Amino acid sequence: MKYVIIGAVAGGASAAARLRRLNEKAEIVIFEKGEYISYANCGLPYYIGNVIKDRNELFVQTASAFNSRFNIDVRTLTEVTAIDVENKTVTAFNQITGLTYTESYDKLVLSPGAEPMRPPLPGIQNNGIFTLRNVNDTDYIKAYVNQEKVKNVVIIGAGFIGLEMAENLHEIGLNVTIIEMGNQILAPLDLPLAAIVQQHILSKGVGLKLNTAVTGFEKENQVLKVILNNGEVLETDTVIMSIGVKPDTKLATMAGLKLGAAKGIWVNEFLQTSNPDVYAVGDAIEFTNPISKNSMNTYLAGPANKQGRICANNIVLGNKQTYKGAINTAIVKVFDMTVAATGMASKHLTLNKIEHIVSTTHNGSHAGYYPGAQQMTIQLAFSPNNGELYGAQIVGFEGVDKRIDVLSAAITQGNTIFDLTNFEHAYAPPFSSAKDPINIAAFVAENILLKKHKVFYVNEIHNLPENAILLDVRTALEFAENRITNAINIPLDNLRTRLNELDKNNTIYLYCLGGQRGYLAQQILTQNGFENTFNLSGGFKLYQSFN
């Protein structure tokens, strides 16, 4: 049996290694058009920023080591230019020798990855404008920054890679400006949580221009000019394009393989393409989103590696193991802050016409009496019918990673808000509280779901009914320092003795700093005959970031 694999980074390398473990006698050939295999894409910005100082640390495996360990014929700098599915051959071009030849296969695995978007803007070919996708890109950027003594950089696109590049270039002393065409950074997040991160970025002295598009580039006396759609022109030394990627489907298209609605390579639940002898994994494929049931792509290393293993199992053992899709669980470090998301954002649930409720809470990363506890904000999106969890987002500093992993597992298993209220965690003061932030988030969500807690949201604050009362239940000192326009103040601890100041016929919108005091005030009012009360989800803390 002969297996041929195209692409040797995440999914391809994973499939190759698994194929060998399952079949010691098979002939395995892996083609990689680049110079390197199985390298850490996610580590590239940190090498540029000197966090990873040794370039060799980026390589999980070298071609020679992979060959020695797994007895796999690794052919780097060799690009597959065509696939003949009828005759089961691929055409390969050796970039070193210039030789073109064909290679036969019994089973073929496609793992071509994705390619960075580089729109045909005027002047985009100027020297000093880069994309970051592979090791060579990293080398070019690092060398250019050092040799040209770069001081200013413009990063176009505020996704995960764009923000990682912003942090790392800022940390080595560059003046950084981020330009984002959308109204927020980090598209997987909803705006209120993205706004928290935006404030953090600005606090570091990094420029951030939202709702701004680049229309072209010019270069004059070694100075790059970035032309914006608002007429502004930014002068800089270099530009990093980070506006996203798209599935590399050129080979699949030429071979007549089916593409899907998301413009990726179509695969079935066994990761098999429209040709039974060709499988595909990684960034180039599309699959059914477990929540929306629509086709989607994902550009994450975790799913690609898992797909490689499943694909190999199905090739050798027969189509028995199904791929259940991915929910795009992701995490990113943004300076001191950690930002994570899993499942679907509220805005994407709305686009897919999936009914849902949103709840936002703030809690310490561990017990407040133990030194060093830091605040984290958790947003949950869940079904109004049975409480099934659809999505979660966390912005904080310490402990974000372990909470998002728990919530990812909950979504994957179809768990509900009620399940999370009973989530049992490891507790000791340095690590958590007796009630973990996940428990607290679930308690609040459960109250909303059971209609024990009626909420309103920060985007509604400026459109309240004309005769509504906006009631701040924080202390008088907090109210004097900063407040929402048109709010009146009755501190929570004085509320029971001042109920006569409020009209039961009016709708009352409550808020406090984080939401807890507002909820307690709502219970007092409700049980004293005030029927129309709503508490601000996420409280004044979220409002301040959003506004």
Side-chain angles (χ1 to χ4, degrees):
M1 186 65 71
K2 183 176 181 180
Y3 306 127
V4 169
I5 301 165
I6 301 173
V9 185
S14 178
R18 181 63 174 171
L19 284 168
R20 174 56 73 218
R21 292 195 296 272
L22 293 173
N23 189 340
E24 178 62 25
K25 303 299 183 183
E27 181 182 356
I28 304 174
V29 180
I30 186 166
F31 290 100
E32 171 55 50
K33 65 181 177 182
E35 188 176 351
Y36 308 101
I37 73 161
S38 196
Y39 56 85
N41 290 72
C42 300
L44 300 180
Y46 298 99
Y47 173 61
I48 291 172
N50 293 330
V51 176
I52 298 171
K53 300 187 183 300
D54 184 353
R55 182 175 177 276
N56 291 324
E57 294 294 327
L58 295 171
F59 302 106
V60 180
Q61 283 278 5
T62 64
S64 60
F66 204 64
N67 177 270
S68 299
R69 175 65 57 85
F70 295 106
N71 187 27
I72 290 172
D73 184 357
V74 183
R75 303 180 191 178
T76 56
L77 292 171
T78 304
E79 182 176 7
V80 173
T81 57
I83 302 168
D84 184 342
V85 293
E86 296 298 323
N87 295 303
K88 298 175 72 169
T89 63
V90 300
T91 302
F93 171 69
N94 187 312
Q95 298 170 47
I96 300 174
T97 65
L99 177 67
T100 297
Y101 61 96
T102 60
E103 192 78 33
S104 64
Y105 66 83
D106 293 307
K107 298 290 183 182
L108 177 67
V109 178
L110 294 178
S111 183
E115 51 189 357
M117 294 183 185
R118 197 174 171 92
L121 296 172
I124 198 169
Q125 300 304 324
N126 275 306
N127 193 31
I129 301 176
F130 301 96
T131 57
L132 177 62
R133 187 64 183 167
N134 55 42
V135 176
N136 287 336
D137 294 338
T138 307
D139 290 338
Y140 295 146
I141 293 169
K142 196 172 179 74
Y144 190 88
V145 167
N146 292 332
Q147 292 168 11
E148 301 298 323
K149 295 180 172 55
V150 168
K151 294 181 180 178
N152 303 294
V153 58
V154 169
I155 295 173
I156 302 172
F160 289 94
I161 297 297
L163 294 189
E164 287 174 343
M165 285 298 295
E167 176 186 346
N168 281 280
L169 292 172
H170 179 271
E171 292 298 315
I172 60 173
L174 275 60
N175 298 314
V176 179
T177 301
I178 304 169
I179 300 172
E180 169 57 48
M181 187 166 61
N183 67 337
Q184 66 167 80
I185 64 169
L186 295 172
L189 292 188
D190 287 306
L191 180 53
L193 268 73
I196 299 173
V197 190
Q198 287 162 191
Q199 294 294 329
H200 186 66
I201 290 169
L202 292 170
S203 75
K204 296 296 181 180
V206 171
L208 178 60
K209 294 180 179 292
L210 301 173
N211 297 304
T212 305
V214 175
T215 59
F217 306 92
E218 294 177 358
K219 193 161 191 177
E220 185 178 328
N221 298 325
Q222 300 305 308
V223 176
L224 269 171
K225 295 183 177 181
V226 183
I227 303 164
L228 307 181
N229 62 343
N230 60 8
E232 189 178 357
V233 177
L234 301 181
E235 292 189 352
T236 188
D237 301 313
T238 190
V239 171
I240 309 294
M241 298 287 296
S242 184
I243 60 173
V245 295
K246 59 182 179 180
D248 186 347
T249 60
K250 293 188 292 294
L251 280 174
T253 302
M254 289 165 52
L257 299 177
K258 178 182 175 182
L259 301 186
K263 299 183 179 178
I265 300 171
W266 178 90
V267 292
N268 64 16
E269 67 271 31
F270 304 112
L271 298 171
Q272 193 174 35
T273 71
S274 53
N275 184 286
D277 294 316
V278 182
Y279 291 72
V281 298
D283 294 355
I285 72 167
E286 66 175 69
F287 49 84
T288 300
N289 183 298
I291 301 168
S292 72
K293 309 305 180 186
N294 293 327
S295 289
M296 64 171 280
N297 316 103
T298 191
Y299 306 110
L300 299 170
N305 276 282
K306 295 175 183 69
Q307 291 161 14
R309 179 185 175 87
I310 292 169
C311 165
N313 289 345
N314 288 330
I315 288 173
V316 177
L317 305 174
N319 287 345
K320 296 177 181 177
Q321 186 176 1
T322 59
Y323 180 62
K324 295 178 173 59
I327 56 172
N328 278 355
T329 304
I331 191 167
V332 63
K333 177 180 178 291
V334 184
F335 295 97
D336 313 315
M337 189 168 270
T338 304
V339 185
T342 185
M344 293 182 71
S346 173
K347 60 186 176 184
H348 298 141
L349 290 166
T350 300
L351 282 173
N352 282 274
K353 298 180 180 178
I354 298 174
E355 237 190 316
H356 64 284
I357 299 171
V358 172
S359 175
T360 305
T361 52
H362 310 281
N363 280 98
S365 55
H366 60 249
Y369 59 84
Y370 186 89
Q374 296 177 296
Q375 284 286 297
M376 68 171 66
T377 300
I378 300 179
Q379 177 186 290
L380 303 181
F382 51 95
S383 166
N385 301 314
N386 61 5
E388 182 180 352
L389 187 63
Y390 291 150
Q393 301 169 21
I394 309 179
V395 173
F397 298 88
E398 176 190 86
V400 170
D401 52 345
K402 71 175 182 176
R403 272 77 182 205
I404 204 69
D405 286 342
V406 170
L407 293 167
S408 171
I411 294 171
T412 302
Q413 296 300 319
N415 291 157
T416 69
I417 293 301
F418 306 110
D419 296 319
L420 291 176
T421 64
N422 293 314
F423 160 65
E424 183 177 346
H425 62 290
Y427 161 55
F431 305 105
S432 185
S433 301
K435 296 175 184 175
D436 189 78
I438 288 178
N439 296 134
I440 298 297
F443 293 154
V444 173
E446 180 186 49
N447 282 336
I448 295 171
L449 187 62
L450 297 177
K451 296 182 171 52
K452 294 179 180 179
H453 182 195
K454 294 185 288 186
V455 296
F456 71 111
Y457 300 98
V458 289
N459 61 322
E460 300 172 334
I461 204 95
H462 297 301
N463 295 300
L464 301 182
E466 191 172 331
N467 64 340
I469 297 172
L470 182 60
L471 178 59
D472 186 326
V473 297
R474 297 176 300 157
T475 65
L477 180 60
E478 289 175 287
F479 183 76
E481 286 179 348
N482 203 352
R483 58 185 179 272
I484 301 174
T485 305
N486 297 324
I488 62 171
N489 178 227
I490 302 178
L492 172 63
D493 294 341
N494 306 128
L495 183 58
R496 289 181 178 88
T497 61
R498 296 176 60 181
L499 292 175
N500 62 316
E501 298 177 29
L502 300 172
D503 187 345
K504 292 183 179 180
N505 294 317
N506 284 351
T507 302
I508 300 175
Y509 293 87
L510 300 146
Y511 75 88
C512 62
L513 183 60
Q516 185 182 35
R517 284 176 288 176
Y519 167 68
L520 296 174
Q522 185 180 55
Q523 301 314 302
I524 293 170
L525 291 172
T526 300
Q527 293 176 49
N528 279 279
F530 292 82
E531 296 181 358
N532 296 310
T533 62
F534 297 87
N535 184 32
L536 181 60
S537 182
F540 187 66
K541 186 179 295 185
L542 194 64
Y543 169 83
Q544 280 185 300
S545 297
F546 191 76
N547 291 273

